[in-house]
Amino acid sequence: MRLSWLLGGLSVLSGASLSHANSPIEPSNFNVTSALEDLGVDVSSIPALKGFHGAKARSTDKACTAACSSLSYLFRSKVSAQDTIGYSSFTDSFWSVQQEEVQPHCVFRPTKNTDISTAVLLSRLTGCEFAARSGGHAAFTGSSSSPGGISIWFKDMDAVTLNEDQSVASIEPGNNWLSIYSALEPYGLATVGGRAASIGVGGFVLGGGISYHSNLYGWACDNVESFEIVSASGKILNVSETSYPDLYWALRGGGNNFGLVTKFNLYTIPAPKMYGGARTFTQNNFPQAIDAFINVANNASVDTHAQQYIAFFSINGTNIASAELTYTKNVADPQIFKEYRSIPAVSDVSSPKTLVEYVTYLEASNPFHLREVYWPITVQMNRKFSRWVVNTFYSMIPEVASIPGAQPVIIYQAVTEPILKKMSKFGGNALGLDGSKGPLQIMQISCWWLNESDDEAIYKFLNSFWDKVIAQAKKEGVYDEYIYMNYASMFQDPISGYGEANKDRLKSIAKKYDPRGVYQTLQPGYFKLDGAPVTRYF
Ligand SMILES: Cc1cc2nc3c(=O)[nH]c(=O)nc-3n(C[C@H](O)[C@H](O)[C@H](O)COP(=O)(O)OP(=O)(O)OC[C@H]3O[C@@H](n4cnc5c(N)ncnc54)[C@H](O)[C@@H]3O)c2cc1C
Ligand SMILES: *[C@@H]1O[C@H](CO)[C@@H](O)[C@H](O)[C@H]1NC(C)=O
Ligand SMILES: *[C@@H]1O[C@H](CO)[C@@H](O)[C@H](O)[C@H]1NC(C)=O
Ligand SMILES: *[C@@H]1O[C@H](CO)[C@@H](O)[C@H](O)[C@H]1NC(C)=O
Ligand SMILES: *[C@@H]1O[C@H](CO)[C@@H](O)[C@H](O)[C@H]1NC(C)=O
Ligand SMILES: *[C@@H]1O[C@H](CO)[C@@H](O)[C@H](O)[C@H]1NC(C)=O
């Protein structure tokens, strides 16, 4: 079946969702060409589209030549072609090498929301795929850069403004947490946000967002007053608890599946000086360190100023645990960290820090330009199991010891009772977590290495590690299906982890606001509503 909603006969996206005539923002007779005209774009005057009658498949060179030439014609210096400095400044500045290797057809740097409307509509018109990048911290190929397509880089949309009573900060997606905290600090304010400088606001908030302040206020997605988004039809929507509330719910965990967010309007919080840093232990103290981790997590509602994670790894054959202990007030030795502090440490770099100082300090331990994978699971908090997993990790890492540069780390974080409670704020989020069984624990592997030829060995190793851990977790009845999107590997399906009901609801909301599935098909990168980015059997 064919639709005539695109110029010419582009048929790749038609067929789907024909019956969906009730979209509040995209009628069934939606006409991309006239939507572009409504934005002031005279399609018939664009040279690259003369004689262009649609492509037979998505993202062909022909389609993307038409799309990128059209963008260049309309936006001039905001568009960079291959072999230019503008282009390489984009491809060279991702966190992981896997994302840096991607070669888009062109890079588009919009300066306002309607620029993005035009790009999305041109993608629809030509069939050229796109991807969008905020901080570019997602690790795997194609997450925020489009192979052969249009890579939209928000870099020049970097405003941070406060509303009149300073209760809401309006943040454009070109910001990272260093730029946001730096802009708000002079006002004594911050938002619930990231813990390292260069993480972008975009991916972070749309997937959840674990902050130093989360025991006080919840995850970042639970502290959004409203989102301004560009819909698949190029409309600018204000999305809040009262305006498109279903979409507001979906954006709180649903990732890039519903639109491109052009403003994150986040509730502000006070930003007093904090205290914290890493305290490092040797292997003889691992059991005590794990006990301390569990006790701090279980005590989270007693003192919501504390935040922690603990990382286990090996340096030159010495096994180390590093606990990042953060207090959101300038207090050096709060009761809640007493147990940790009674464990002899080989080093402790704790000190008073502003948020700006904190994210700058943490940035240093997360170098750029390496091959990277993050890979998490979730379990119910359990002392015995946490110890078993660390022992299993250390028993298995010799398998990758000979791989150049391989540095596997396992990190424990808590989804505490106060965090879980805050998830029901403002009508709730899409994550499907509930606090009825007590605190949860995210166990995350982070690993970097040097050589592409070792990708397969690393992925295989991590898969076998998690297979073993998940089997044991199920046996002990502590396994939880939740997968944290912001840490998920390309082999995982976080949307399914939100539970069947939430997945179905997300899909029906996507259909309602994006009846042709533009954000599912023309923007294929990262986590879609229908399965893992890469399906394979190891
Ligand atoms: C060193 C490091 C430290 C980290 N620390 C934390 C932490 O403290 N807490 C935590 O919770 N997570 C943390 N993470 C994980 C982090 O939240 C994710 O990597 C997140 O995806 C990064 O967002 P980004 O905007 O930088 O990524 P990007 O790669 O730019 O984007 C990720 C995805 O979101 C989409 N996206 C981005 N912006 C928008 C937008 N405006 N509208 C629609 N879609 C958009 C992109 O298209 C892409 O698909 C960390 C990661 C790293 C590498
Ligand atoms: C879509 O709009 C354009 C420009 O307004 C018009 O020329 C074209 O005929 C329309 N297409 C359809 C199928 O209505
Ligand atoms: C969205 O909200 C902003 C700020 O409140 C307002 O200026 C703008 O006109 C609104 N946009 C739409 C499309 O409603
Ligand atoms: C590990 O060993 C190498 C080679 O001996 C040395 O250069 C490096 O500094 C050591 N790393 C640490 C963290 O001690
Ligand atoms: C935390 O928990 C431990 C043991 O469960 C308890 O002894 C301690 O007093 C608690 N600390 C705080 C700050 O509540
Ligand atoms: C990458 O692998 C090749 C071939 O196995 C090896 O010669 C090279 O030293 C490796 N590179 C690094 C940086 O380790």
Side-chain angles (χ1 to χ4, degrees):
M1 201 176 313
R2 225 160 243 257
L3 288 177
S4 51
W5 50 274
L6 287 181
L7 183 83
L10 175 61
S11 58
V12 281
L13 291 179
S14 50
S17 316
L18 272 183
S19 59
H20 211 91
N22 66 341
S23 172
I25 56 168
E26 182 171 329
S28 56
N29 65 347
F30 181 70
N31 181 326
V32 175
T33 305
S34 52
L36 277 163
E37 283 170 355
D38 292 345
L39 286 166
V41 177
D42 178 5
V43 173
S44 65
S45 75
I46 300 176
L49 294 177
K50 291 227 164 68
F52 179 82
H53 295 300
K56 292 235 157 37
R58 271 189 278 128
S59 254
T60 57
D61 191 51
K62 188 178 160 205
C64 291
T65 300
C68 286
S69 303
S70 301
L71 283 170
S72 288
Y73 175 78
L74 296 168
F75 295 104
R76 307 283 160 188
S77 63
K78 297 187 199 178
V79 182
S80 301
Q82 292 186 3
D83 301 318
T84 62
I85 288 168
Y87 184 94
S88 57
S89 71
F90 174 79
T91 54
D92 292 350
S93 55
F94 283 88
W95 181 61
S96 77
V97 169
Q98 292 101 318
Q99 286 236 78
E100 296 189 319
E101 286 169 350
V102 168
Q103 299 288 302
H105 199 101
C106 62
V107 176
F108 177 45
R109 288 170 64 152
T111 55
K112 55 182 196 296
N113 54 15
T114 50
D115 292 356
I116 295 166
S117 309
T118 301
V120 171
L121 291 170
L122 279 171
S123 161
R124 293 181 68 160
L125 192 63
T126 59
C128 178
E129 291 173 359
F130 64 94
R133 164 179 170 185
S134 176
H137 263 258
F140 59 87
T141 306
S143 293
S144 38
S145 183
S146 174
I150 306 159
S151 287
I152 299 172
W153 193 9
F154 296 123
K155 191 175 173 57
D156 297 327
M157 294 175 69
D158 61 355
V160 178
T161 54
L162 284 165
N163 67 351
E164 202 154 344
D165 69 6
Q166 304 193 344
S167 61
V168 175
S170 196
I171 297 166
E172 288 189 323
N175 283 287
N176 62 28
W177 294 103
L178 178 62
S179 66
I180 295 164
Y181 297 147
S182 299
L184 296 176
E185 202 164 84
Y187 301 90
L189 296 172
T191 65
V192 176
R195 292 172 294 186
S198 63
I199 311 163
V201 61
F204 181 89
V205 174
L206 293 169
I210 307 173
S211 164
Y212 295 120
H213 294 87
S214 284
N215 283 321
L216 279 164
Y217 307 105
W219 282 6
C221 69
D222 299 318
N223 290 279
V224 182
E225 187 261 349
S226 59
F227 302 90
E228 179 190 271
I229 78 160
V230 175
S231 74
S233 56
K235 284 215 162 67
I236 311 297
L237 307 179
N238 285 330
V239 179
S240 69
E241 197 186 356
T242 51
S243 160
Y244 308 106
D246 50 355
L247 194 49
Y248 174 74
W249 175 86
L251 288 167
R252 294 169 62 192
N256 71 8
N257 290 296
F258 300 90
L260 294 177
V261 178
T262 44
K263 261 187 201 132
F264 293 88
N265 300 315
L266 306 185
Y267 288 109
T268 55
I269 60 173
K273 198 138 192 163
M274 299 157 45
Y275 192 95
R279 189 169 165 86
T280 308
F281 312 109
T282 46
Q283 189 154 17
N284 55 318
N285 290 310
F286 286 0
Q288 293 88 322
I290 291 169
D291 286 356
F293 169 82
I294 303 242
N295 283 339
V296 169
N298 284 333
N299 272 338
S301 26
V302 179
D303 185 346
T304 49
H305 289 283
Q307 182 62 221
Q308 61 161 347
Y309 63 80
I310 184 163
F312 298 88
F313 50 98
S314 187
I315 300 176
N316 289 347
T318 303
N319 295 342
I320 297 284
S322 177
E324 186 67 38
L325 306 177
T326 311
Y327 205 68
T328 59
K329 293 195 278 195
N330 187 4
V331 176
D333 194 14
Q335 176 64 29
I336 191 161
F337 288 146
K338 279 271 195 277
E339 190 173 341
Y340 266 122
R341 300 182 67 80
S342 70
I343 307 169
V346 285
S347 79
D348 189 332
V349 299
S350 301
S351 66
K353 292 177 175 74
T354 64
L355 252 180
V356 168
E357 288 162 352
Y358 217 123
V359 297
T360 305
Y361 141 81
L362 210 76
E363 182 77 7
S365 50
N366 293 285
F368 276 57
H369 313 306
L370 294 164
R371 304 192 78 78
E372 299 277 0
V373 63
Y374 274 13
W375 196 327
I377 67 161
T378 308
V379 297
Q380 276 169 255
M381 190 79 70
N382 180 292
R383 192 176 309 267
K384 179 170 154 255
F385 189 69
S386 288
R387 289 186 182 186
W388 180 86
V389 171
V390 163
N391 291 338
T392 304
F393 174 74
Y394 281 112
S395 73
M396 287 178 72
I397 53 174
E399 292 176 31
V400 289
S402 65
I403 293 178
Q407 180 68 75
V409 181
I410 187 162
I411 301 159
Y412 287 179
Q413 305 201 52
V415 191
T416 60
E417 272 168 352
I419 288 173
L420 290 164
K421 275 200 193 117
K422 299 280 188 317
M423 289 195 177
S424 60
K425 284 204 288 194
F426 314 128
N429 65 36
L431 303 176
L433 287 167
D434 84 90
S436 63
K437 287 181 278 179
L440 294 164
Q441 182 177 344
I442 295 176
M443 297 179 160
Q444 171 215 353
I445 292 269
S446 146
C447 184
W448 67 58
W449 67 101
L450 293 174
N451 261 353
E452 183 178 8
S453 56
D454 294 320
D455 289 7
E456 192 57 23
I458 294 282
Y459 297 145
K460 268 200 162 125
F461 167 73
L462 294 181
N463 183 68
S464 68
F465 172 72
W466 283 130
D467 270 356
K468 190 167 179 171
V469 170
I470 290 168
Q472 184 68 18
K474 286 182 173 165
K475 207 167 115 192
E476 298 198 11
V478 297
Y479 187 63
D480 191 289
E481 299 289 334
Y482 177 72
I483 293 165
Y484 183 35
M485 180 185 283
N486 288 2
Y487 296 157
S489 78
M490 61 186 165
F491 308 112
Q492 295 181 286
D493 179 8
I495 301 292
S496 287
Y498 296 175
E500 198 129 355
N502 284 12
K503 177 172 171 164
D504 289 348
R505 190 173 168 203
L506 286 170
K507 286 172 109 168
S508 82
I509 293 166
K511 258 198 159 164
K512 178 173 164 191
Y513 292 97
D514 178 10
R516 272 76 178 204
V518 168
Y519 285 111
Q520 298 300 300
T521 54
L522 281 169
Q523 186 202 227
Y526 210 54
F527 300 103
K528 302 287 95 172
L529 301 175
D530 240 331
V534 176
T535 311
R536 56 169 288 182
Y537 302 93
F538 284 90

